[in-house]
Amino acid sequence: MKRNSRLSLALHTLGHMAADPDDAQTSTEIAEHAGTNPVVVRRVLGRLREAGLLISEKGHAGGWKLARAPADITLADVFAALDEQLFSYDDNTEPAHCAVERAMRQRISSVMTDIERKLVDQLNSISIDEMRN
Amino acid sequence: MKRNSRLSLALHTLGHMAADPDDAQTSTEIAEHAGTNPVVVRRVLGRLREAGLLISEKGHAGGWKLARAPADITLADVFAALDEQLFSYDDNTEPAHCAVERAMRQRISSVMTDIERKLVDQLNSISIDEMRN
DNA sequence: AATAATTGTAACAATATTTGTTACATTAAT
DNA sequence: ATTAATGTAACAAATATTGTTACAATTATT
Protein backbone atom coordinates (compact mmCIF):
# COMPACT_ATOMS: atom_id res chain seq x y z
CA MET A 1 0.00 0.00 0.00
CA LYS A 2 1.26 3.41 -0.86
CA ARG A 3 1.65 6.17 1.70
CA ASN A 4 0.22 9.57 1.11
CA SER A 5 -1.09 9.35 -2.40
CA ARG A 6 -3.64 12.04 -1.61
CA LEU A 7 -1.58 14.83 -3.08
CA SER A 8 -0.95 12.79 -6.20
CA LEU A 9 -4.65 12.02 -6.60
CA ALA A 10 -5.62 15.64 -6.00
CA LEU A 11 -3.13 17.10 -8.46
CA HIS A 12 -3.88 14.68 -11.24
CA THR A 13 -7.61 15.16 -10.83
CA LEU A 14 -7.33 18.94 -10.75
CA GLY A 15 -5.04 18.84 -13.78
CA HIS A 16 -7.60 16.91 -15.74
CA MET A 17 -10.39 19.20 -14.63
CA ALA A 18 -8.36 22.22 -15.66
CA ALA A 19 -8.36 20.88 -19.19
CA ASP A 20 -12.16 20.93 -19.30
CA PRO A 21 -13.49 23.08 -16.44
CA ASP A 22 -17.19 22.88 -17.28
CA ASP A 23 -17.44 19.12 -17.41
CA ALA A 24 -18.55 17.58 -14.10
CA GLN A 25 -17.10 14.19 -13.27
CA THR A 26 -18.42 11.54 -10.90
CA SER A 27 -16.25 10.00 -8.21
CA THR A 28 -16.60 6.66 -9.99
CA GLU A 29 -15.18 8.07 -13.23
CA ILE A 30 -12.34 9.75 -11.40
CA ALA A 31 -11.63 6.61 -9.38
CA GLU A 32 -11.45 4.47 -12.52
CA HIS A 33 -9.06 6.90 -14.11
CA ALA A 34 -6.90 7.07 -11.02
CA GLY A 35 -7.02 3.36 -10.33
CA THR A 36 -8.63 3.63 -6.93
CA ASN A 37 -11.97 3.55 -5.15
CA PRO A 38 -14.84 6.08 -5.41
CA VAL A 39 -14.97 6.46 -1.63
CA VAL A 40 -11.29 7.30 -1.54
CA VAL A 41 -11.88 9.90 -4.23
CA ARG A 42 -14.76 11.48 -2.32
CA ARG A 43 -12.62 11.48 0.81
CA VAL A 44 -9.77 13.36 -0.83
CA LEU A 45 -11.82 15.66 -3.03
CA GLY A 46 -14.02 16.44 -0.04
CA ARG A 47 -11.09 18.25 1.49
CA LEU A 48 -10.65 20.28 -1.67
CA ARG A 49 -14.32 21.17 -1.52
CA GLU A 50 -14.03 22.30 2.09
CA ALA A 51 -11.18 24.53 1.00
CA GLY A 52 -13.33 26.04 -1.74
CA LEU A 53 -11.39 24.58 -4.66
CA LEU A 54 -14.07 22.20 -5.87
CA ILE A 55 -17.85 22.03 -5.99
CA SER A 56 -19.74 18.79 -5.65
CA GLU A 57 -23.36 18.13 -6.46
CA LYS A 58 -25.42 15.30 -5.13
CA GLY A 59 -28.03 13.23 -6.89
CA HIS A 60 -28.67 12.24 -10.43
CA ALA A 61 -26.28 13.99 -12.84
CA GLY A 62 -24.24 15.17 -9.88
CA GLY A 63 -20.47 15.13 -9.66
CA TRP A 64 -17.36 17.25 -9.19
CA LYS A 65 -16.22 20.47 -10.82
CA LEU A 66 -13.67 23.22 -10.24
CA ALA A 67 -15.01 26.00 -8.03
CA ARG A 68 -13.00 28.67 -9.86
CA ALA A 69 -10.76 29.26 -12.84
CA PRO A 70 -7.78 26.87 -13.18
CA ALA A 71 -5.41 29.84 -13.24
CA ASP A 72 -6.71 30.82 -9.78
CA ILE A 73 -5.91 27.54 -8.07
CA THR A 74 -2.28 27.22 -7.02
CA LEU A 75 -0.20 24.37 -5.73
CA ALA A 76 -0.11 26.13 -2.36
CA ASP A 77 -3.92 26.04 -2.29
CA VAL A 78 -3.83 22.30 -2.85
CA PHE A 79 -1.19 21.67 -0.20
CA ALA A 80 -3.11 23.78 2.29
CA ALA A 81 -6.40 22.08 1.46
CA LEU A 82 -4.89 18.68 2.16
CA ASP A 83 -3.28 20.03 5.30
CA GLU A 84 0.00 18.51 4.22
CA GLN A 85 2.97 19.10 6.42
CA LEU A 86 5.47 20.62 4.08
CA PHE A 87 8.29 19.27 6.20
CA SER A 88 8.31 16.17 8.30
CA TYR A 89 9.57 18.12 11.28
CA ASP A 90 7.60 17.49 14.44
CA ASP A 91 8.70 19.26 17.54
CA ASN A 92 8.36 17.46 20.83
CA THR A 93 5.30 18.65 22.61
CA GLU A 94 6.84 18.08 26.01
CA PRO A 95 8.10 21.33 27.50
CA ALA A 96 11.87 21.59 27.27
CA HIS A 97 13.62 21.03 30.59
CA CYS A 98 16.85 22.88 29.95
CA ALA A 99 17.48 26.41 28.73
CA VAL A 100 19.73 25.32 25.86
CA GLU A 101 16.98 23.04 24.65
CA ARG A 102 14.34 25.75 24.82
CA ALA A 103 16.51 28.25 22.95
CA MET A 104 17.39 25.73 20.27
CA ARG A 105 13.80 24.69 19.72
CA GLN A 106 12.81 28.28 19.22
CA ARG A 107 15.66 28.82 16.78
CA ILE A 108 14.84 25.67 14.82
CA SER A 109 11.19 26.54 14.75
CA SER A 110 11.95 30.00 13.42
CA VAL A 111 14.27 28.63 10.75
CA MET A 112 11.65 26.11 9.66
CA THR A 113 8.94 28.73 9.57
CA ASP A 114 11.10 30.95 7.40
CA ILE A 115 11.90 28.16 4.96
CA GLU A 116 8.28 27.13 4.85
CA ARG A 117 7.16 30.65 4.09
CA LYS A 118 9.48 30.83 1.10
CA LEU A 119 8.33 27.45 -0.08
CA VAL A 120 4.69 28.46 0.09
CA ASP A 121 5.54 31.54 -1.98
CA GLN A 122 6.95 29.30 -4.66
CA LEU A 123 4.00 26.92 -4.56
CA ASN A 124 1.70 29.90 -4.86
CA SER A 125 3.40 30.96 -8.08
CA ILE A 126 2.28 27.81 -9.89
CA SER A 127 -1.34 27.31 -10.87
CA ILE A 128 -2.94 23.99 -11.77
CA ASP A 129 -3.44 25.43 -15.21
CA GLU A 130 0.33 25.31 -15.58
CA MET A 131 0.46 21.67 -14.56
CA ARG A 132 -0.85 20.60 -17.96
CA ASN A 133 1.08 20.70 -21.15
CA MET B 1 3.01 7.79 19.34
CA LYS B 2 4.62 10.53 17.36
CA ARG B 3 5.30 10.23 13.69
CA ASN B 4 8.64 11.07 12.26
CA SER B 5 10.51 12.48 15.20
CA ARG B 6 13.80 11.43 13.64
CA LEU B 7 14.55 14.84 12.22
CA SER B 8 13.72 16.46 15.54
CA LEU B 9 15.98 14.07 17.43
CA ALA B 10 18.80 14.52 14.94
CA LEU B 11 18.68 18.31 14.94
CA HIS B 12 18.49 18.69 18.68
CA THR B 13 21.34 16.26 19.21
CA LEU B 14 23.51 17.93 16.60
CA GLY B 15 22.70 21.31 18.06
CA HIS B 16 23.89 20.22 21.47
CA MET B 17 27.01 18.64 20.04
CA ALA B 18 27.77 21.83 18.15
CA ALA B 19 27.94 23.63 21.49
CA ASP B 20 30.73 21.31 22.67
CA PRO B 21 32.20 19.47 19.68
CA ASP B 22 34.96 17.61 21.52
CA ASP B 23 32.78 16.00 24.15
CA ALA B 24 31.63 12.48 23.19
CA GLN B 25 28.17 11.48 24.38
CA THR B 26 26.72 8.03 24.87
CA SER B 27 23.43 6.99 23.36
CA THR B 28 22.06 6.58 26.88
CA GLU B 29 22.89 10.17 27.78
CA ILE B 30 21.42 11.43 24.55
CA ALA B 31 18.32 9.29 25.01
CA GLU B 32 17.72 10.59 28.51
CA HIS B 33 18.04 14.14 27.32
CA ALA B 34 15.72 13.55 24.40
CA GLY B 35 13.23 11.51 26.38
CA THR B 36 13.55 8.35 24.32
CA ASN B 37 15.37 5.04 24.14
CA PRO B 38 19.11 4.43 23.55
CA VAL B 39 18.35 2.01 20.73
CA VAL B 40 16.23 4.62 18.98
CA VAL B 41 19.09 7.07 19.33
CA ARG B 42 21.61 4.64 17.85
CA ARG B 43 19.18 3.91 15.03
CA VAL B 44 18.80 7.57 14.08
CA LEU B 45 22.38 8.65 14.73
CA GLY B 46 23.57 5.61 12.80
CA ARG B 47 22.19 7.21 9.68
CA LEU B 48 24.09 10.39 10.41
CA ARG B 49 27.22 8.32 10.85
CA GLU B 50 26.69 6.58 7.50
CA ALA B 51 26.39 10.02 5.94
CA GLY B 52 29.70 11.06 7.49
CA LEU B 53 28.23 13.63 9.89
CA LEU B 54 28.99 11.76 13.10
CA ILE B 55 31.61 9.40 14.43
CA SER B 56 30.79 6.65 16.90
CA GLU B 57 33.19 4.63 18.97
CA LYS B 58 32.47 1.29 20.55
CA GLY B 59 33.55 -0.03 23.89
CA HIS B 60 34.38 1.52 27.20
CA ALA B 61 34.47 5.32 27.00
CA GLY B 62 32.91 5.14 23.55
CA GLY B 63 30.14 7.37 22.28
CA TRP B 64 29.14 9.86 19.61
CA LYS B 65 30.84 12.98 18.31
CA LEU B 66 30.63 15.32 15.35
CA ALA B 67 32.71 14.16 12.40
CA ARG B 68 33.50 17.71 11.31
CA ALA B 69 33.14 21.33 12.31
CA PRO B 70 29.59 22.47 13.20
CA ALA B 71 29.81 25.21 10.58
CA ASP B 72 30.36 22.52 7.94
CA ILE B 73 27.19 20.57 8.65
CA THR B 74 24.09 22.04 7.04
CA LEU B 75 20.41 21.33 7.40
CA ALA B 76 20.50 19.89 3.89
CA ASP B 77 23.14 17.39 5.03
CA VAL B 78 20.85 16.29 7.85
CA PHE B 79 17.79 15.96 5.63
CA ALA B 80 19.79 13.97 3.11
CA ALA B 81 21.29 11.74 5.79
CA LEU B 82 17.84 10.84 7.07
CA ASP B 83 16.63 10.35 3.52
CA GLU B 84 13.63 12.50 4.29
CA GLN B 85 11.21 13.15 1.53
CA LEU B 86 11.03 16.90 1.41
CA PHE B 87 7.54 16.66 -0.01
CA SER B 88 4.94 14.04 0.58
CA TYR B 89 4.36 13.66 -3.15
CA ASP B 90 4.44 10.05 -4.33
CA ASP B 91 3.86 9.43 -7.96
CA ASN B 92 1.96 6.33 -8.97
CA THR B 93 4.38 3.71 -10.10
CA GLU B 94 1.91 2.24 -12.53
CA PRO B 95 2.59 3.39 -16.08
CA ALA B 96 0.13 6.04 -17.18
CA HIS B 97 -2.49 4.78 -19.59
CA CYS B 98 -3.41 8.01 -21.34
CA ALA B 99 -1.25 10.66 -22.98
CA VAL B 100 -2.71 13.52 -20.94
CA GLU B 101 -1.81 11.63 -17.79
CA ARG B 102 1.75 10.96 -18.94
CA ALA B 103 2.34 14.57 -19.89
CA MET B 104 0.93 15.85 -16.64
CA ARG B 105 3.01 13.51 -14.53
CA GLN B 106 6.12 14.68 -16.25
CA ARG B 107 5.15 18.31 -15.73
CA ILE B 108 4.35 17.77 -12.06
CA SER B 109 7.53 15.87 -11.53
CA SER B 110 9.57 18.63 -13.13
CA VAL B 111 7.83 21.30 -11.05
CA MET B 112 8.46 19.33 -7.86
CA THR B 113 12.07 18.76 -8.74
CA ASP B 114 12.56 22.44 -9.35
CA ILE B 115 10.96 23.43 -6.05
CA GLU B 116 12.94 20.80 -4.22
CA ARG B 117 16.20 22.04 -5.70
CA LYS B 118 15.53 25.56 -4.46
CA LEU B 119 14.57 24.23 -1.06
CA VAL B 120 17.79 22.24 -0.77
CA ASP B 121 19.72 25.39 -1.63
CA GLN B 122 18.08 27.14 1.30
CA LEU B 123 18.68 24.26 3.66
CA ASN B 124 22.29 24.22 2.59
CA SER B 125 22.70 27.84 3.61
CA ILE B 126 22.01 27.04 7.28
CA SER B 127 24.60 25.19 9.37
CA ILE B 128 23.89 23.42 12.64
CA ASP B 129 26.17 25.96 14.26
CA GLU B 130 23.51 28.53 13.44
CA MET B 131 20.82 26.47 15.09
CA ARG B 132 22.05 27.43 18.55
CA ASN B 133 21.65 30.80 20.13
C1' DA C 1 -44.77 9.21 -7.54
C1' DA C 2 -41.27 5.91 -8.50
C1' DT C 3 -36.75 5.05 -10.00
C1' DA C 4 -32.00 5.72 -10.76
C1' DA C 5 -27.74 7.95 -9.88
C1' DT C 6 -24.98 10.37 -7.09
C1' DT C 7 -22.64 12.36 -2.84
C1' DG C 8 -21.63 11.99 2.32
C1' DT C 9 -20.17 9.31 5.80
C1' DA C 10 -19.63 5.64 9.15
C1' DA C 11 -17.50 1.38 10.14
C1' DC C 12 -14.18 -1.95 9.61
C1' DA C 13 -10.25 -4.71 7.65
C1' DA C 14 -5.70 -4.85 5.65
C1' DT C 15 -1.24 -2.85 5.19
C1' DA C 16 2.67 -0.05 6.21
C1' DT C 17 5.39 2.85 9.12
C1' DT C 18 7.26 4.51 13.31
C1' DT C 19 8.60 3.99 17.84
C1' DG C 20 9.67 1.47 21.96
C1' DT C 21 11.69 -2.52 24.01
C1' DT C 22 14.42 -6.66 25.05
C1' DA C 23 18.24 -9.34 24.05
C1' DC C 24 22.70 -10.31 22.82
C1' DA C 25 27.08 -10.31 20.07
C1' DT C 26 31.07 -7.35 19.46
C1' DT C 27 34.44 -4.07 20.81
C1' DA C 28 37.54 -1.40 23.66
C1' DA C 29 39.22 0.72 28.03
C1' DT C 30 40.32 -0.20 32.82
C1' DA D 1 38.45 -10.34 33.72
C1' DT D 2 35.30 -6.80 34.08
C1' DT D 3 32.84 -3.00 32.62
C1' DA D 4 30.75 0.01 29.38
C1' DA D 5 29.71 1.06 25.10
C1' DT D 6 27.95 0.34 20.03
C1' DG D 7 25.47 -2.58 16.35
C1' DT D 8 21.70 -5.01 15.24
C1' DA D 9 18.00 -8.38 15.13
C1' DA D 10 13.45 -9.41 16.55
C1' DC D 11 9.13 -8.32 18.07
C1' DA D 12 5.21 -5.61 20.19
C1' DA D 13 2.39 -1.44 20.26
C1' DA D 14 0.61 2.59 18.33
C1' DT D 15 -0.65 5.21 14.34
C1' DA D 16 -1.73 6.35 9.61
C1' DT D 17 -3.26 5.24 5.06
C1' DT D 18 -5.90 2.90 1.89
C1' DG D 19 -9.51 -0.14 0.34
C1' DT D 20 -14.08 -1.80 0.97
C1' DT D 21 -18.99 -2.41 2.13
C1' DA D 22 -23.13 -0.40 3.49
C1' DC D 23 -26.53 2.87 3.67
C1' DA D 24 -28.84 7.50 4.36
C1' DA D 25 -29.73 11.79 1.88
C1' DT D 26 -30.30 14.21 -2.28
C1' DT D 27 -31.50 15.27 -7.01
C1' DA D 28 -32.74 14.43 -11.94
C1' DT D 29 -35.47 11.65 -14.95
C1' DT D 30 -39.36 9.04 -16.38
Side-chain angles (χ1 to χ4, degrees):
Chain A
M1 197 173 298
K2 243 170 340 211
R3 220 189 110 213
N4 222 349
S5 59
R6 284 172 301 199
L7 183 59
S8 177
L9 174 57
L11 286 177
H12 287 123
T13 303
L14 287 169
H16 274 107
M17 287 177 166
D20 192 358
D22 292 329
D23 179 43
Q25 285 185 281
T26 68
S27 56
T28 300
E29 289 167 348
I30 296 169
E32 277 167 7
H33 202 271
T36 183
N37 192 288
V39 176
V40 173
V41 169
R42 296 202 285 269
R43 212 181 269 159
V44 173
L45 298 195
R47 299 211 201 184
L48 303 183
R49 182 194 54 232
E50 286 163 21
L53 307 184
L54 289 181
I55 290 168
S56 67
E57 275 175 16
K58 284 184 170 182
H60 208 137
W64 301 80
K65 248 189 334 186
L66 295 183
R68 50 185 202 249
D72 288 342
I73 298 176
T74 71
L75 291 188
D77 292 331
V78 182
F79 272 82
L82 295 181
D83 203 23
E84 296 285 347
Q85 294 184 277
L86 266 3
F87 301 109
S88 40
Y89 179 71
D90 281 334
D91 207 343
N92 280 323
T93 44
E94 312 152 16
H97 30 304
C98 78
V100 173
E101 188 79 16
R102 266 198 306 279
M104 203 164 55
R105 283 193 194 180
Q106 195 142 18
R107 179 84 177 96
I108 289 173
S109 170
S110 127
V111 164
M112 289 293 179
T113 302
D114 185 52
I115 290 178
E116 183 161 331
R117 194 180 44 74
K118 290 180 186 168
L119 178 57
V120 169
D121 285 348
Q122 287 189 348
L123 292 175
N124 250 324
S125 74
I126 301 167
S127 75
I128 61 163
D129 203 39
E130 295 171 282
M131 298 302 279
R132 315 180 290 117
N133 258 5
Chain B
M1 194 173 299
K2 245 169 340 216
R3 219 188 110 216
N4 222 350
S5 59
R6 284 171 302 199
L7 183 58
S8 176
L9 174 57
L11 287 177
H12 286 123
T13 303
L14 288 169
H16 273 108
M17 288 177 166
D20 192 358
D22 291 329
D23 179 45
Q25 286 186 278
T26 68
S27 57
T28 301
E29 289 167 347
I30 297 169
E32 276 167 8
H33 201 270
T36 182
N37 193 288
V39 176
V40 173
V41 170
R42 296 201 284 270
R43 211 181 269 157
V44 173
L45 298 195
R47 299 210 201 183
L48 303 184
R49 183 192 55 231
E50 285 163 21
L53 307 184
L54 288 181
I55 290 169
S56 66
E57 275 174 16
K58 284 185 171 182
H60 207 137
W64 300 81
K65 248 190 334 187
L66 294 182
R68 51 186 202 249
D72 287 343
I73 298 176
T74 72
L75 290 188
D77 292 331
V78 182
F79 272 82
L82 295 181
D83 205 22
E84 297 285 347
Q85 294 184 275
L86 267 3
F87 302 109
S88 41
Y89 179 70
D90 282 334
D91 207 342
N92 280 324
T93 45
E94 312 151 16
H97 31 304
C98 78
V100 172
E101 189 79 14
R102 265 196 306 280
M104 204 165 53
R105 285 192 193 182
Q106 196 142 19
R107 179 86 175 96
I108 290 173
S109 169
S110 125
V111 164
M112 289 294 178
T113 302
D114 185 51
I115 290 178
E116 184 161 331
R117 194 178 46 72
K118 289 178 186 170
L119 178 57
V120 169
D121 285 348
Q122 287 189 346
L123 292 175
N124 251 324
S125 74
I126 301 168
S127 74
I128 60 163
D129 203 38
E130 295 172 283
M131 296 304 278
R132 314 180 291 118
N133 257 5

